[in-house]
Amino acid sequence: MQYYEDLEIGVPNRFGHYEVTREEVIDFARKYDPQAFHLDDEAAAKTHFGRLSASGWHTCAMTMAMIVANHTDNGHAGLGSPGMDELRWLTPVYPGDTLRVESTVVEKRRSKSKPEMGLFRTKTTVFNQHDVPVMTYTALAMIATRDPGGSD
């Protein structure tokens, strides 16, 4: 299990493999972002996207699926997240793309009011199969401490 004490600042964590399908792009868009360029080939072809593209919010959801799978596979004592900053969609994500994640802890601190918890900030970049960044964000997350009485 990985706890607060195990987090290393500045060490990149590379993980994930998510294949983007046309069916999932359209299904997500129907439910959550029903813009024509996420739903219809002809409409998408007339935009700067040039073809059907995934919603940026769908890219966030696919990224979250990879993060949770990584945490599950590696035993991570995560306690959720109070939010993210600086979310940017850099390049369209298309059906047929394969996504991966690179995340680096840039800061960490113990909670002053909840000693069983630490907080850490990550800089996260999502790449497509050509190693082109498609999305970036900075996130604040919470994680259990192994030793609530410990110090940094």
Side-chain angles (χ1 to χ4, degrees), residues 3-23:
Y3 292 92
Y4 170 82
E5 293 85 350
D6 303 315
L7 297 176
E8 295 182 65
I9 294 174
V11 177
N13 183 15
R14 296 172 180 95
F15 59 90
H17 180 93
Y18 198 104
E19 295 180 9
V20 183
T21 68
R22 175 184 172 75
E23 295 75 25

Side-chain angles (χ1 to χ4, degrees), residues 3 6 9 18 21 23 41 43 50 55 62 74-75 80 84 90-91 111 113 117 119 121-122 124 142 147:
Y3 292 92
D6 303 315
I9 294 174
Y18 198 104
T21 68
E23 295 75 25
D41 291 307
S55 165
M62 292 182 282
N74 295 303
M84 66 169 54
L90 307 171
T91 303
S111 171
S113 61
M117 180 186 298
L119 294 109
R121 187 174 305 279
T122 62
T124 300
M142 302 173 292
D147 178 11

Side-chain angles (χ1 to χ4, degrees), residues 18-151:
Y18 198 104
E19 295 180 9
V20 183
T21 68
R22 175 184 172 75
E23 295 75 25
E24 189 175 318
V25 166
I26 292 170
D27 186 49
F28 185 96
R30 274 191 192 119
K31 292 177 184 175
Y32 306 110
D33 192 356
Q35 298 182 78
F37 45 82
H38 300 317
L39 294 167
D40 180 82
D41 291 307
E42 285 184 37
K46 296 175 186 173
T47 70
H48 64 285
F49 295 113
R51 59 188 169 121
L52 194 72
S53 65
S55 165
W57 296 112
H58 186 193
T59 303
C60 289
M62 292 182 282
T63 300
M64 192 67 211
M66 288 185 282
I67 289 169
V68 171
N70 183 60
H71 288 180
T72 300
D73 292 347
N74 295 303
H76 190 271
L79 299 171
S81 171
M84 66 169 54
D85 299 310
E86 304 168 7
L87 172 64
R88 298 290 180 267
W89 294 301
L90 307 171
T91 303
V93 172
Y94 298 108
D97 282 352
T98 300
L99 305 180
R100 68 175 182 84
V101 179
E102 192 169 302
S103 185
T104 303
V105 175
V106 295
E107 166 187 345
K108 73 177 198 174
R109 68 176 175 82
R110 287 180 179 268
S111 171
K112 291 178 178 73
S113 61
K114 297 179 181 173
E116 71 281 1
M117 180 186 298
L119 294 109
F120 65 101
R121 187 174 305 279
T122 62
K123 177 69 176 170
T124 300
T125 303
V126 180
F127 295 89
N128 67 17
Q129 69 277 9
H130 303 294
D131 289 329
V132 173
V134 299
M135 184 175 77
T136 60
Y137 64 88
T138 303
L140 184 61
M142 302 173 292
I143 189 170
T145 58
R146 181 180 289 110
D147 178 11
S151 64

